[in-house]
Amino acid sequence: MSDSPYLFTSESVTEGHPDKICDQISDAILDAIIAKETELAQNGYVAPDGQKADPSKIRVACETLELGLDSMDNRILETLTRTFEGRPVGLTTLASALGEEPDSLEDVYEPYLLQQGLIIRTPKGRQATRFAYEHLGIEQPSD
C-alpha cells in the first residue's frame, strides 16, 4: 500500500466500447480547442471582453470537471493559494474573504475538498495542498 494520501481509481474498457469511443472523440475535440487557444495566445489575441487567450485556463476547466468541483470550490482554492499565498487561514477569515458563512464552508464545501486531497486542516488553519496547486497550474510557494 502506498503512503500517498490520495486515492486514484480507474476503469478499463476494451477497444470499440462506446465509452472508449466517446473518450477518444472528446479528447480529440479538447486537443483541437487547446491547440487553437495556444495559437491565439501566441499571436496575442484578446477577446472583445478584454480577456487574453490562455490555454492554461482550459486545462484547469477540464480538470475541474474531472474532479467534480463547482465554482465555489475553485474560489476557495484560488483564495487559499493566491490571496493568502499558501499560508494557513482560519475558517472565519476564509469565510469573510469569500463572503460566505463559516458554517457553509465547513459543512458544505470543505468535506469534499478534504476528501479530494485539495485542502488540509492544520492547527493554524486551512491550507491548499500540492495537489490543489497542480490543479490550478500555479507554483506552490516554498516554506
Side-chain angles (χ1 to χ4, degrees):
M1 194 80 174
S2 171
D3 291 336
S4 175
Y6 307 110
L7 173 66
F8 292 95
T9 63
S10 66
E11 66 177 289
S12 177
V13 294
T14 60
E15 201 65 36
H17 188 280
D19 283 350
K20 187 75 143 185
I21 294 169
C22 289
D23 285 346
Q24 291 169 338
I25 292 169
S26 63
D27 287 349
I29 292 169
L30 181 59
D31 289 345
I33 291 170
I34 291 173
K36 185 63 177 177
E37 187 77 5
T38 301
E39 177 188 329
L40 292 172
Q42 289 170 345
N43 293 324
Y45 175 77
V46 178
D49 67 355
Q51 293 291 316
K52 292 183 178 179
D54 185 355
S56 67
K57 289 181 182 176
I58 293 174
R59 185 185 54 75
V60 169
C62 293
E63 288 178 4
T64 296
L65 292 173
E66 288 177 15
L67 288 172
L69 303 180
D70 64 17
S71 60
M72 178 52 81
D73 294 325
N74 278 321
R75 282 186 57 213
I76 292 168
L77 296 177
E78 290 277 346
T79 302
L80 288 171
T81 57
R82 296 185 196 276
T83 305
F84 294 103
E85 301 172 334
R87 295 184 306 271
V89 182
L91 179 63
T92 306
T93 303
L94 181 59
S96 295
L98 293 163
E100 288 289 322
E101 290 295 321
D103 288 345
S104 292
L105 287 182
E106 191 170 38
D107 297 338
V108 178
Y109 299 104
E110 205 173 65
Y112 187 74
L113 294 172
L114 287 164
Q115 283 178 334
Q116 295 301 309
L118 294 163
I119 65 170
I120 57 171
R121 287 185 192 156
T122 70
K124 294 181 180 180
R126 279 76 177 149
Q127 280 186 286
T129 64
R130 176 185 56 83
F131 192 47
Y133 282 90
E134 288 174 7
H135 162 68
L136 295 171
I138 58 177
E139 190 172 324
Q140 186 173 8
S142 56
D143 293 329

